[in-house]
Amino acid sequence: MPVEQVQTLIIGGGQAGLVMSHRLTQRGLPHLVVERHRIAERWRSERWDGLRFQFPNWSVNLQSFSFRHSDPDGFAATGEIVQFIEAYAAFVAPPIRCGVAVTRLCCGDGASGFVAEISGGMIEADNIVVATGPYQRAVIPDLLRDHAIFQVHASRYQNPEQLPAGAVLVVGSGASGAQITEELCRAGRRVYLSVGAHTRLPRRYRGRDLIWWLEQMGIDQTPVEARGSSRLLPLITGAYGGHTIDFRRFAADGVTLLGRVAAARDGILDIAPDLSRSLAEGETTYFTFLDMVDAHVQQHGLKMPEDLAARAVLPDPPCVTEPLRRLDIGGDGIGAVIWATGYGLDFGWIDVPVLDARGEPRHRHGITEVPGLYFLGLQWLSKMKSSFLSGVGDDAAVLADHIAARR
C-alpha cells in the first residue's frame, strides 16, 4: 500500500479542523487535513430545514474571520452557516483532501508517530489532531426497535411534511427537541414532548442576549475543572427571532408535556412520574442565572433596565398537574416519533490507548498522554466555550503551540 508522510495530520474538515489548520499555518508548521465527506458536512446533512443557529449573528466568528450579516441580533439559517464556513475555508486555504476517510489510527512501528489507514493507502504522521466534533453517533433508545411506527433521529428530521399523518411524539427536551416541538406545533401538528433534565436559560434578559451575558460575566470561560457534574448545554433557540423557551408556554399552545419515557411494550409507553421535578429543576437554573445577572449589574453599576416579565411564571397546565403515566401509540393516534436524544462519540477507529471504558478520550485540554495525539472541538475540551464557533480557536492555539514545541 502507498505510504505518505506528513508532520501533522488533522482528521476532520469542519470548523475545528479548519481553525487548527489556520493556527498551524500561522506558525509555519506543515500539515494535512483529511475529511471523509465535504467541508462542514454535518451542517449540510444533519440539520433540519427550519433550524436557526442558537448564537446571535454578532457573536459568530472563526479565528480572524467574522460572519457577515445585516442584522446583528438575528439568527442565521443553516445554509448561511455553511456559506460562512466555506468562506472561512477559502480564507484559510488549508491543505485539505475531501472524500478521505480514516478507518484506523494506530501507533507507528518506531518509537513515536502514528499510522492512519485510509482507503487505498496509509498516512504516517508525527502528530495527529482528531477534530471530528462532538456529534458523531446519533443516540436512539432501543424502546421501539420492533415497532412499525415512523421513527427518526433529530439529525435526520427535515420538516413537518416529512412525517406521516397523526400526532408526533418528541423524546428529548434539549435545544433540538424544543425547537422541533415548536416547529411542529406551529405547523398545526398535535405534539407530545417528553421532558427530561434540562438547563433552561433566558434568550435575552435586561436588554441583552444570553451570549452577551456569558461573555460579560466570564461564564463562557469557565474551566472544565469547575464545570461540575452536569454536561447539559443551555436550552436556547434562535428560531422565530429567538426567544426564551418555556415548556409551560408550549403547553398553553397545545403541546402535551410528558415525563421521561421509561419503558415500552407492545406500543404502550410507560411514562416516569418526574415531569414536575424536571420543570422545577429547570426553573431553578433559570432563576439562579437571573439572580447572577442582577447581582452583576448591581455590583458594576451598569445602567440596564429591569426585566420583570422575565420572572413571570405561567400556571401549571393540566398535563403537569395530572400527568400522563402511559401513552398508547395506536390509541393516542401517534404517527411518528422523533428522537431528540443527543449524540455519542464514535472513536472505535482509534487503536491507540487513549480511550476510557466509555470510549471517551482521556486528555487534558485536548492533549493526551500519548505524545503527539490531540483532540479538538469537543464539548468542554478546556472550558465552556470550547465547542462554540467562537471558542475553538483558543484551544487550537494551545495545541498548535504544543505541536510546535515538539519539533
PDB file of all heavy atoms in Angstrom, residues 212-236:
ATOM      1  N   TRP A 212     -24.205  37.476  25.267  1.00  0.00           N
ATOM      2  CA  TRP A 212     -23.558  38.692  25.753  1.00  0.00           C
ATOM      3  C   TRP A 212     -23.297  38.576  27.253  1.00  0.00           C
ATOM      4  O   TRP A 212     -22.215  38.931  27.728  1.00  0.00           O
ATOM      5  CB  TRP A 212     -24.436  39.907  25.451  1.00  0.00           C
ATOM      6  CG  TRP A 212     -23.776  41.225  25.724  1.00  0.00           C
ATOM      7  CD1 TRP A 212     -23.027  41.963  24.860  1.00  0.00           C
ATOM      8  CD2 TRP A 212     -23.818  41.965  26.968  1.00  0.00           C
ATOM      9  NE1 TRP A 212     -22.590  43.115  25.481  1.00  0.00           N
ATOM     10  CE2 TRP A 212     -23.058  43.137  26.772  1.00  0.00           C
ATOM     11  CE3 TRP A 212     -24.411  41.752  28.212  1.00  0.00           C
ATOM     12  CZ2 TRP A 212     -22.891  44.103  27.773  1.00  0.00           C
ATOM     13  CZ3 TRP A 212     -24.228  42.696  29.211  1.00  0.00           C
ATOM     14  CH2 TRP A 212     -23.489  43.858  28.991  1.00  0.00           C
ATOM     15  N   TRP A 213     -24.284  38.083  27.987  1.00  0.00           N
ATOM     16  CA  TRP A 213     -24.120  37.944  29.435  1.00  0.00           C
ATOM     17  C   TRP A 213     -23.050  36.905  29.778  1.00  0.00           C
ATOM     18  O   TRP A 213     -22.263  37.095  30.708  1.00  0.00           O
ATOM     19  CB  TRP A 213     -25.447  37.570  30.086  1.00  0.00           C
ATOM     20  CG  TRP A 213     -26.414  38.710  30.188  1.00  0.00           C
ATOM     21  CD1 TRP A 213     -27.623  38.837  29.580  1.00  0.00           C
ATOM     22  CD2 TRP A 213     -26.234  39.915  30.946  1.00  0.00           C
ATOM     23  NE1 TRP A 213     -28.211  40.030  29.900  1.00  0.00           N
ATOM     24  CE2 TRP A 213     -27.384  40.716  30.745  1.00  0.00           C
ATOM     25  CE3 TRP A 213     -25.218  40.391  31.778  1.00  0.00           C
ATOM     26  CZ2 TRP A 213     -27.543  41.960  31.342  1.00  0.00           C
ATOM     27  CZ3 TRP A 213     -25.364  41.628  32.374  1.00  0.00           C
ATOM     28  CH2 TRP A 213     -26.525  42.403  32.160  1.00  0.00           C
ATOM     29  N   LEU A 214     -23.013  35.798  29.019  1.00  0.00           N
ATOM     30  CA  LEU A 214     -21.987  34.787  29.283  1.00  0.00           C
ATOM     31  C   LEU A 214     -20.594  35.371  29.123  1.00  0.00           C
ATOM     32  O   LEU A 214     -19.679  35.078  29.912  1.00  0.00           O
ATOM     33  CB  LEU A 214     -22.171  33.584  28.346  1.00  0.00           C
ATOM     34  CG  LEU A 214     -23.436  32.743  28.523  1.00  0.00           C
ATOM     35  CD1 LEU A 214     -23.460  31.600  27.511  1.00  0.00           C
ATOM     36  CD2 LEU A 214     -23.552  32.202  29.946  1.00  0.00           C
ATOM     37  N   GLU A 215     -20.423  36.198  28.091  1.00  0.00           N
ATOM     38  CA  GLU A 215     -19.122  36.836  27.880  1.00  0.00           C
ATOM     39  C   GLU A 215     -18.863  37.917  28.924  1.00  0.00           C
ATOM     40  O   GLU A 215     -17.760  38.029  29.470  1.00  0.00           O
ATOM     41  CB  GLU A 215     -19.066  37.433  26.472  1.00  0.00           C
ATOM     42  CG  GLU A 215     -19.076  36.404  25.354  1.00  0.00           C
ATOM     43  CD  GLU A 215     -18.967  37.040  23.982  1.00  0.00           C
ATOM     44  OE1 GLU A 215     -18.874  38.289  23.907  1.00  0.00           O
ATOM     45  OE2 GLU A 215     -18.960  36.292  22.984  1.00  0.00           O
ATOM     46  N   GLN A 216     -19.882  38.731  29.197  1.00  0.00           N
ATOM     47  CA  GLN A 216     -19.732  39.849  30.130  1.00  0.00           C
ATOM     48  C   GLN A 216     -19.314  39.367  31.516  1.00  0.00           C
ATOM     49  O   GLN A 216     -18.468  39.982  32.178  1.00  0.00           O
ATOM     50  CB  GLN A 216     -21.052  40.622  30.222  1.00  0.00           C
ATOM     51  CG  GLN A 216     -21.083  41.744  31.248  1.00  0.00           C
ATOM     52  CD  GLN A 216     -20.296  42.965  30.809  1.00  0.00           C
ATOM     53  OE1 GLN A 216     -19.958  43.104  29.648  1.00  0.00           O
ATOM     54  NE2 GLN A 216     -20.010  43.860  31.743  1.00  0.00           N
ATOM     55  N   MET A 217     -19.904  38.264  31.948  1.00  0.00           N
ATOM     56  CA  MET A 217     -19.617  37.756  33.294  1.00  0.00           C
ATOM     57  C   MET A 217     -18.510  36.707  33.310  1.00  0.00           C
ATOM     58  O   MET A 217     -18.182  36.171  34.373  1.00  0.00           O
ATOM     59  CB  MET A 217     -20.898  37.189  33.909  1.00  0.00           C
ATOM     60  CG  MET A 217     -21.994  38.241  34.089  1.00  0.00           C
ATOM     61  SD  MET A 217     -23.405  37.667  35.079  1.00  0.00           S
ATOM     62  CE  MET A 217     -24.093  36.400  34.011  1.00  0.00           C
ATOM     63  N   GLY A 218     -17.948  36.400  32.137  1.00  0.00           N
ATOM     64  CA  GLY A 218     -16.857  35.443  32.066  1.00  0.00           C
ATOM     65  C   GLY A 218     -17.275  34.004  32.245  1.00  0.00           C
ATOM     66  O   GLY A 218     -16.426  33.124  32.428  1.00  0.00           O
ATOM     67  N   ILE A 219     -18.587  33.733  32.172  1.00  0.00           N
ATOM     68  CA  ILE A 219     -19.066  32.365  32.384  1.00  0.00           C
ATOM     69  C   ILE A 219     -18.601  31.444  31.264  1.00  0.00           C
ATOM     70  O   ILE A 219     -18.304  30.264  31.488  1.00  0.00           O
ATOM     71  CB  ILE A 219     -20.602  32.350  32.508  1.00  0.00           C
ATOM     72  CG1 ILE A 219     -21.035  33.123  33.760  1.00  0.00           C
ATOM     73  CG2 ILE A 219     -21.137  30.925  32.562  1.00  0.00           C
ATOM     74  CD1 ILE A 219     -22.534  33.267  33.902  1.00  0.00           C
ATOM     75  N   ASP A 220     -18.520  31.978  30.031  1.00  0.00           N
ATOM     76  CA  ASP A 220     -18.095  31.143  28.906  1.00  0.00           C
ATOM     77  C   ASP A 220     -16.635  30.721  29.027  1.00  0.00           C
ATOM     78  O   ASP A 220     -16.182  29.817  28.322  1.00  0.00           O
ATOM     79  CB  ASP A 220     -18.342  31.844  27.580  1.00  0.00           C
ATOM     80  CG  ASP A 220     -17.556  33.137  27.436  1.00  0.00           C
ATOM     81  OD1 ASP A 220     -17.068  33.654  28.452  1.00  0.00           O
ATOM     82  OD2 ASP A 220     -17.436  33.626  26.294  1.00  0.00           O
ATOM     83  N   GLN A 221     -15.897  31.360  29.931  1.00  0.00           N
ATOM     84  CA  GLN A 221     -14.502  30.995  30.160  1.00  0.00           C
ATOM     85  C   GLN A 221     -14.343  30.015  31.330  1.00  0.00           C
ATOM     86  O   GLN A 221     -13.218  29.703  31.719  1.00  0.00           O
ATOM     87  CB  GLN A 221     -13.675  32.250  30.456  1.00  0.00           C
ATOM     88  CG  GLN A 221     -13.661  33.276  29.342  1.00  0.00           C
ATOM     89  CD  GLN A 221     -12.861  32.831  28.135  1.00  0.00           C
ATOM     90  OE1 GLN A 221     -12.047  31.915  28.232  1.00  0.00           O
ATOM     91  NE2 GLN A 221     -13.069  33.477  26.997  1.00  0.00           N
ATOM     92  N   THR A 222     -15.452  29.549  31.874  1.00  0.00           N
ATOM     93  CA  THR A 222     -15.392  28.607  32.999  1.00  0.00           C
ATOM     94  C   THR A 222     -14.564  27.388  32.612  1.00  0.00           C
ATOM     95  O   THR A 222     -14.858  26.711  31.624  1.00  0.00           O
ATOM     96  CB  THR A 222     -16.806  28.143  33.403  1.00  0.00           C
ATOM     97  OG1 THR A 222     -17.597  29.280  33.750  1.00  0.00           O
ATOM     98  CG2 THR A 222     -16.739  27.178  34.575  1.00  0.00           C
ATOM     99  N   PRO A 223     -13.501  27.072  33.355  1.00  0.00           N
ATOM    100  CA  PRO A 223     -12.672  25.913  33.001  1.00  0.00           C
ATOM    101  C   PRO A 223     -13.399  24.610  33.268  1.00  0.00           C
ATOM    102  O   PRO A 223     -14.298  24.538  34.116  1.00  0.00           O
ATOM    103  CB  PRO A 223     -11.454  26.069  33.909  1.00  0.00           C
ATOM    104  CG  PRO A 223     -11.950  26.854  35.072  1.00  0.00           C
ATOM    105  CD  PRO A 223     -12.987  27.800  34.524  1.00  0.00           C
ATOM    106  N   VAL A 224     -13.023  23.583  32.535  1.00  0.00           N
ATOM    107  CA  VAL A 224     -13.687  22.292  32.665  1.00  0.00           C
ATOM    108  C   VAL A 224     -13.568  21.763  34.087  1.00  0.00           C
ATOM    109  O   VAL A 224     -14.468  21.057  34.576  1.00  0.00           O
ATOM    110  CB  VAL A 224     -13.100  21.287  31.652  1.00  0.00           C
ATOM    111  CG1 VAL A 224     -11.624  21.028  31.918  1.00  0.00           C
ATOM    112  CG2 VAL A 224     -13.891  19.982  31.663  1.00  0.00           C
ATOM    113  N   GLU A 225     -12.501  22.123  34.786  1.00  0.00           N
ATOM    114  CA  GLU A 225     -12.309  21.649  36.154  1.00  0.00           C
ATOM    115  C   GLU A 225     -13.371  22.195  37.099  1.00  0.00           C
ATOM    116  O   GLU A 225     -13.618  21.622  38.163  1.00  0.00           O
ATOM    117  CB  GLU A 225     -10.919  22.050  36.655  1.00  0.00           C
ATOM    118  CG  GLU A 225      -9.766  21.347  35.952  1.00  0.00           C
ATOM    119  CD  GLU A 225      -9.410  21.969  34.609  1.00  0.00           C
ATOM    120  OE1 GLU A 225     -10.000  23.019  34.249  1.00  0.00           O
ATOM    121  OE2 GLU A 225      -8.547  21.416  33.916  1.00  0.00           O
ATOM    122  N   ALA A 226     -14.017  23.308  36.713  1.00  0.00           N
ATOM    123  CA  ALA A 226     -15.051  23.915  37.555  1.00  0.00           C
ATOM    124  C   ALA A 226     -16.450  23.668  37.009  1.00  0.00           C
ATOM    125  O   ALA A 226     -17.415  24.262  37.486  1.00  0.00           O
ATOM    126  CB  ALA A 226     -14.803  25.420  37.673  1.00  0.00           C
ATOM    127  N   ARG A 227     -16.567  22.771  36.045  1.00  0.00           N
ATOM    128  CA  ARG A 227     -17.850  22.546  35.382  1.00  0.00           C
ATOM    129  C   ARG A 227     -18.884  21.926  36.300  1.00  0.00           C
ATOM    130  O   ARG A 227     -20.066  22.250  36.247  1.00  0.00           O
ATOM    131  CB  ARG A 227     -17.652  21.633  34.165  1.00  0.00           C
ATOM    132  CG  ARG A 227     -18.940  21.290  33.424  1.00  0.00           C
ATOM    133  CD  ARG A 227     -18.691  20.223  32.366  1.00  0.00           C
ATOM    134  NE  ARG A 227     -18.233  18.975  32.940  1.00  0.00           N
ATOM    135  CZ  ARG A 227     -17.841  17.934  32.219  1.00  0.00           C
ATOM    136  NH1 ARG A 227     -17.822  18.016  30.904  1.00  0.00           N
ATOM    137  NH2 ARG A 227     -17.440  16.831  32.812  1.00  0.00           N
ATOM    138  N   GLY A 228     -18.478  21.040  37.133  1.00  0.00           N
ATOM    139  CA  GLY A 228     -19.444  20.282  37.918  1.00  0.00           C
ATOM    140  C   GLY A 228     -19.854  19.020  37.180  1.00  0.00           C
ATOM    141  O   GLY A 228     -19.310  18.677  36.127  1.00  0.00           O
ATOM    142  N   SER A 229     -20.843  18.347  37.692  1.00  0.00           N
ATOM    143  CA  SER A 229     -21.223  17.041  37.140  1.00  0.00           C
ATOM    144  C   SER A 229     -22.110  17.147  35.904  1.00  0.00           C
ATOM    145  O   SER A 229     -22.167  16.226  35.086  1.00  0.00           O
ATOM    146  CB  SER A 229     -21.948  16.215  38.208  1.00  0.00           C
ATOM    147  OG  SER A 229     -23.111  16.899  38.666  1.00  0.00           O
ATOM    148  N   SER A 230     -22.811  18.251  35.729  1.00  0.00           N
ATOM    149  CA  SER A 230     -23.749  18.367  34.614  1.00  0.00           C
ATOM    150  C   SER A 230     -23.022  18.620  33.304  1.00  0.00           C
ATOM    151  O   SER A 230     -22.083  19.418  33.228  1.00  0.00           O
ATOM    152  CB  SER A 230     -24.742  19.505  34.867  1.00  0.00           C
ATOM    153  OG  SER A 230     -25.594  19.672  33.743  1.00  0.00           O
ATOM    154  N   ARG A 231     -23.476  17.929  32.248  1.00  0.00           N
ATOM    155  CA  ARG A 231     -22.938  18.150  30.913  1.00  0.00           C
ATOM    156  C   ARG A 231     -23.986  18.765  29.994  1.00  0.00           C
ATOM    157  O   ARG A 231     -23.815  18.815  28.773  1.00  0.00           O
ATOM    158  CB  ARG A 231     -22.446  16.836  30.308  1.00  0.00           C
ATOM    159  CG  ARG A 231     -21.282  16.206  31.065  1.00  0.00           C
ATOM    160  CD  ARG A 231     -20.669  15.066  30.289  1.00  0.00           C
ATOM    161  NE  ARG A 231     -19.515  14.501  30.970  1.00  0.00           N
ATOM    162  CZ  ARG A 231     -18.679  13.623  30.416  1.00  0.00           C
ATOM    163  NH1 ARG A 231     -18.886  13.211  29.178  1.00  0.00           N
ATOM    164  NH2 ARG A 231     -17.654  13.166  31.092  1.00  0.00           N
ATOM    165  N   LEU A 232     -25.088  19.219  30.566  1.00  0.00           N
ATOM    166  CA  LEU A 232     -26.172  19.754  29.755  1.00  0.00           C
ATOM    167  C   LEU A 232     -25.799  21.113  29.191  1.00  0.00           C
ATOM    168  O   LEU A 232     -25.247  21.968  29.873  1.00  0.00           O
ATOM    169  CB  LEU A 232     -27.438  19.874  30.604  1.00  0.00           C
ATOM    170  CG  LEU A 232     -27.996  18.565  31.173  1.00  0.00           C
ATOM    171  CD1 LEU A 232     -29.161  18.866  32.106  1.00  0.00           C
ATOM    172  CD2 LEU A 232     -28.424  17.621  30.064  1.00  0.00           C
ATOM    173  N   LEU A 233     -26.129  21.319  27.917  1.00  0.00           N
ATOM    174  CA  LEU A 233     -25.896  22.600  27.269  1.00  0.00           C
ATOM    175  C   LEU A 233     -27.104  23.506  27.499  1.00  0.00           C
ATOM    176  O   LEU A 233     -28.210  23.030  27.774  1.00  0.00           O
ATOM    177  CB  LEU A 233     -25.662  22.387  25.772  1.00  0.00           C
ATOM    178  CG  LEU A 233     -24.392  21.610  25.411  1.00  0.00           C
ATOM    179  CD1 LEU A 233     -24.333  21.380  23.894  1.00  0.00           C
ATOM    180  CD2 LEU A 233     -23.153  22.328  25.892  1.00  0.00           C
ATOM    181  N   PRO A 234     -26.931  24.821  27.371  1.00  0.00           N
ATOM    182  CA  PRO A 234     -28.057  25.736  27.581  1.00  0.00           C
ATOM    183  C   PRO A 234     -29.214  25.447  26.629  1.00  0.00           C
ATOM    184  O   PRO A 234     -29.016  25.179  25.437  1.00  0.00           O
ATOM    185  CB  PRO A 234     -27.437  27.115  27.297  1.00  0.00           C
ATOM    186  CG  PRO A 234     -25.978  26.931  27.547  1.00  0.00           C
ATOM    187  CD  PRO A 234     -25.663  25.528  27.121  1.00  0.00           C
ATOM    188  N   LEU A 235     -30.417  25.500  27.151  1.00  0.00           N
ATOM    189  CA  LEU A 235     -31.626  25.280  26.358  1.00  0.00           C
ATOM    190  C   LEU A 235     -32.051  26.622  25.767  1.00  0.00           C
ATOM    191  O   LEU A 235     -32.765  27.403  26.407  1.00  0.00           O
ATOM    192  CB  LEU A 235     -32.727  24.691  27.237  1.00  0.00           C
ATOM    193  CG  LEU A 235     -34.099  24.470  26.597  1.00  0.00           C
ATOM    194  CD1 LEU A 235     -33.994  23.584  25.364  1.00  0.00           C
ATOM    195  CD2 LEU A 235     -35.058  23.875  27.602  1.00  0.00           C
ATOM    196  N   ILE A 236     -31.582  26.923  24.554  1.00  0.00           N
ATOM    197  CA  ILE A 236     -31.892  28.187  23.904  1.00  0.00           C
ATOM    198  C   ILE A 236     -32.238  27.939  22.446  1.00  0.00           C
ATOM    199  O   ILE A 236     -31.930  26.882  21.886  1.00  0.00           O
ATOM    200  CB  ILE A 236     -30.713  29.180  23.983  1.00  0.00           C
ATOM    201  CG1 ILE A 236     -29.430  28.538  23.449  1.00  0.00           C
ATOM    202  CG2 ILE A 236     -30.518  29.672  25.412  1.00  0.00           C
ATOM    203  CD1 ILE A 236     -28.242  29.483  23.407  1.00  0.00           C
TER     204      ILE A 236
END
